[in-house]
Structure formats: C-alpha cells, structure tokens
Amino acid sequence: MPAAAAVFERWLRGDALPLWSTAGVEGRSGGFHEALTLAGLPIGGVRRARVQARQIWVFATAAAAGFGHRYAAVAERGLAHLLATYKRRDGLFVFAMDSDHEAGDETAALYEQAFVLLALAARGRLDEARRLRDALQALRHPAGGWREAGDRPFQANAHMHLLEAALAWEMTGDASWANMADEIASLAMRRFIDPESGLLQEFFDAEWRALPDASGGLVEPGHQFEWAFLLDEWGKSRGEARARAAARRLYANGLAGVDHHRGVVVGSLWSDLSVRDAVARLWAQTERLRAAVSFGEPGEVIAAAQALGRFLRTPVAGVWRERMGVQGEFLDQPAPATSLYHLMSGLLPLLQRQA
C-alpha cells in the first residue's frame, strides 16, 4: 500500500493537478473545460454546472491537502465564475451554459445543486450555501427528500451527493446541516436500500418504492461503494451501528460487481447481481478504492489500486482512460473533467492512511 500511495501521489501532484489547473481552465473566465483529449488539449462546447462545481472542490481540496497554495486561487476564480454565470434568479443553478457563457440549459437539476453545495463547503461560503439550501425547498417532495428534474424524478443518486455536501458542511463546524444529513441517511436506510439484499437501488416511484428491473431497476456497483463510505461516515458521527452495518453490506455487494477476469468494477448489474453493463468506467474504480481503504483487507486495497492504475497509463501523464471494454481494451475517448473529482476523493484516503 505505501508503494501504491507513492505512485498515485506522484501522478496527482506532479501530473494531473498541474495539467488540469492550466489546460483544463478557460483563461478568459476562469471556468473549467468539460474534457481534455488524451494529448492534454481542451475540448470546447457546453459546460455543465456540475463540472464547474466539481473542479472547484478538487482544487480547493488540493490546496487544503498541501498539494500547493496556488490551487486555492484556481478554485476561487472558478467559484466566482460559477456564481456570476450559472446562478438563476430563484437562487438555484442552471444545468449548463454554452461556450460563450451566454445561453444554455436553465433546468435546475438537483444533482447540480448538490455539487454547488459541496463546492461552497470547500471554500467556506456559508451564506451562499444557506441561500441555496433555502432555494432547494422548491424541489421538495411531500413523501420526503427532493425531486430530480426530468422524467425520473425519484432517484437516489442526487441524494447521495446532498448527503456528501451536508457532511462536508458539518465538518466545517456548522451544525445546521445535521437535519439534511439525517433525513437523507434515514431515507436511504428506509427506502433506497433493500432490506433483504442490502442493495442500494437507484430509481423509485413517488412513494419511494424501488422500480423493478423491467421498468428501470438498476444496481450500480460504484454507487454501492460510494454510499457505503458516506453512510459509514454518517454512522460514525452519530454512533449509528445499524448504518455502519448497512455500509459494510453495501461494500460487500459492490464487490459482487468486480469482473475477476479483468479485475475491474463493471458498469451495472441487475437486481439478481448478474451483469447488466460490462463496460468498466474509471469512476467506479476510484469508489472501490476509497471503500476498500475503509472496509477492506490489505489485499482488497491493493487489487483496487491495481485496477485503477491501469486507467491512468496514458501517453500524456495527467489524463486517464474513462472506459474499458468487455475484452479489457480501452475505448478511445477524451478524459472528462468530472472524473477528477472521483480521483481526488478516491485517492486521498489512501494517501492520508500512508502519511
């Protein structure tokens, strides 16, 4: 594990953060590009709010972790751009803007709001965060939780990131976020997680009843790992043994999504744990690693680190392969900026454990 941590730290400190803080930043606005080519060149086009917010969190977290004070300035400039360009009159944030920052999709997706809250936590902007939390009342659902935009309004995924943001705010010392964190964790324990299988499910009806496979049932191993980490963090802070036990079960269920031939986490499963989508994405490998550091034996950590490392072997250091095909081949596509958030959150626990 120390050797793996050293390799990942060199890659993060020496390659990824320098590249994405320069080539990944649009010089005029301070906003962030959606992706870089495998040659490390920016790709233009529509820019989602989630990309802006995630990159703000990445660079603020990098500065706080001691990777370089200069990254705090990158984060702060990006945050100024986000607040000036993406914020709607009602206090919520639009889904995306075009490359000229003049028009875009003004939908207020719950997922985007969760990441703006996380970015604000990383920069300590409490007043802005409280205003956004108040604005989220417009997306409240009578049966609990919040509604997502689009034709599948009842989803676990955005709630996971709202929980992440609420816990991040609690760590700053602001106890007013406890109610949000408690409500989401309770909803997850009562509705999102199947009591028999222990599986975290994704899509629900208006009463938060899981949809069957035939109408949208889905199990994502990466989300089993992600929820496991967050529920365990919440459980530790509350002394909730039941939540921590559920988190360990989620971790075990996530391991059911590891393709042992390729050594990687697959995209999705059916509810009987048979493979639904065998393509492996980078983000799920980072979540496996983070969860393994919390729950796994040393061998599980090493296996997760080895799987992730394969995605980082690129001609230009600092970008990554996003998808691995079913035969172990990597698909030829750009490196999306959104994955740097997963890499940072997945690698830091390993690096901190070895410090």
Side-chain angles (χ1 to χ4, degrees):
M1 284 192 288
V7 169
F8 285 133
E9 182 170 3
R10 284 195 299 271
W11 179 85
L12 194 58
R13 185 189 293 271
D15 300 319
L17 290 170
L19 178 65
W20 287 87
S21 64
T22 52
V25 177
E26 200 277 315
R28 181 166 52 92
S29 69
F32 302 100
H33 293 295
E34 280 273 329
L36 297 180
T37 68
L38 294 181
L41 301 176
I43 296 175
V46 170
R47 295 168 185 164
R48 294 169 293 171
R50 70 184 63 179
V51 169
Q52 309 305 308
R54 284 186 175 197
Q55 295 295 72
I56 292 162
W57 178 86
V58 163
F59 291 112
T61 300
F67 288 106
H69 293 301
R70 65 189 182 279
Y71 296 125
V74 177
E76 191 59 32
R77 190 170 177 230
L79 180 58
H81 173 66
L82 175 71
L83 295 174
T85 310
Y86 288 76
K87 192 173 183 180
R88 305 192 329 178
R89 290 183 179 180
D90 62 2
L92 298 173
F93 287 75
V94 303
F95 181 79
M97 298 295 291
D98 66 16
S99 58
D100 294 325
H101 318 301
E102 294 178 355
D105 184 343
E106 296 191 358
T107 303
L110 184 62
Y111 193 91
E112 316 303 310
Q113 317 311 311
F115 277 104
V116 173
L117 286 174
L118 186 65
L120 292 169
R123 294 304 298 159
R125 300 289 285 273
L126 180 57
D127 289 343
E128 285 283 356
R130 285 179 170 173
R131 283 192 287 270
L132 177 52
R133 184 176 63 187
D134 290 343
L136 281 173
Q137 292 301 312
L139 306 181
R140 275 301 218 157
H141 181 54
W146 290 260
R147 294 173 61 97
E148 182 56 283
D151 58 1
R152 284 184 168 176
F154 308 109
Q155 300 184 19
N157 195 14
H159 288 83
M160 178 178 70
H161 292 298
L162 283 175
L163 175 59
E164 178 185 23
L167 291 174
W169 273 111
E170 283 190 34
M171 289 179 64
T172 70
D174 184 6
S176 71
W177 295 85
N179 287 342
M180 175 182 278
D182 291 350
E183 178 181 352
I184 296 168
S186 175
L187 187 60
M189 298 285 288
R190 289 185 295 107
R191 296 295 190 180
F192 298 166
I193 298 173
D194 178 72
E196 293 186 9
S197 66
L199 287 166
L200 184 281
Q201 297 167 303
E202 301 287 344
F203 299 108
F204 305 84
D205 66 16
E207 300 301 319
W208 293 114
R209 292 175 298 216
L211 297 179
D213 283 352
S215 57
L218 176 69
V219 173
E220 293 197 32
H223 285 161
Q224 310 299 309
F225 295 131
E226 216 167 345
W227 273 102
F229 177 83
L230 291 170
L231 265 187
D232 191 59
E233 290 293 299
W234 179 82
K236 281 190 291 189
S237 68
R238 305 302 196 268
E240 281 277 353
R242 190 168 66 93
R244 301 195 70 189
R248 287 192 168 276
R249 198 173 180 195
L250 285 169
Y251 173 68
N253 281 330
L255 291 177
V258 175
D259 176 347
H260 294 289
H261 177 68
R262 290 176 292 162
V264 295
V265 182
V266 302
S268 64
L269 308 172
W270 297 103
S271 59
D272 65 359
L273 300 183
S274 61
V275 175
R276 176 172 176 158
D277 178 6
V279 171
R281 291 189 61 184
L282 175 136
W283 74 265
Q285 319 312 314
T286 71
E287 298 301 336
R288 175 192 179 188
L289 176 60
R290 180 169 68 165
V293 171
S294 292
F295 305 107
E297 299 295 328
E300 292 170 354
V301 178
I302 294 300
Q306 289 173 335
L308 175 58
R310 294 170 64 188
F311 287 75
L312 306 186
R313 296 171 193 154
T314 54
V316 172
V319 291
W320 47 81
R321 303 287 189 175
E322 180 64 13
R323 287 177 172 84
M324 177 191 286
V326 296
Q327 301 301 321
E329 78 285 7
F330 285 105
L331 307 188
D332 187 13
Q333 56 187 196
T338 50
S339 291
L340 189 55
Y341 150 82
H342 285 288
L343 284 157
M344 178 67 81
S345 59
L347 293 176
L348 271 184
L350 176 63
L351 303 188
Q352 292 165 348
R353 178 168 169 172
Q354 301 305 314

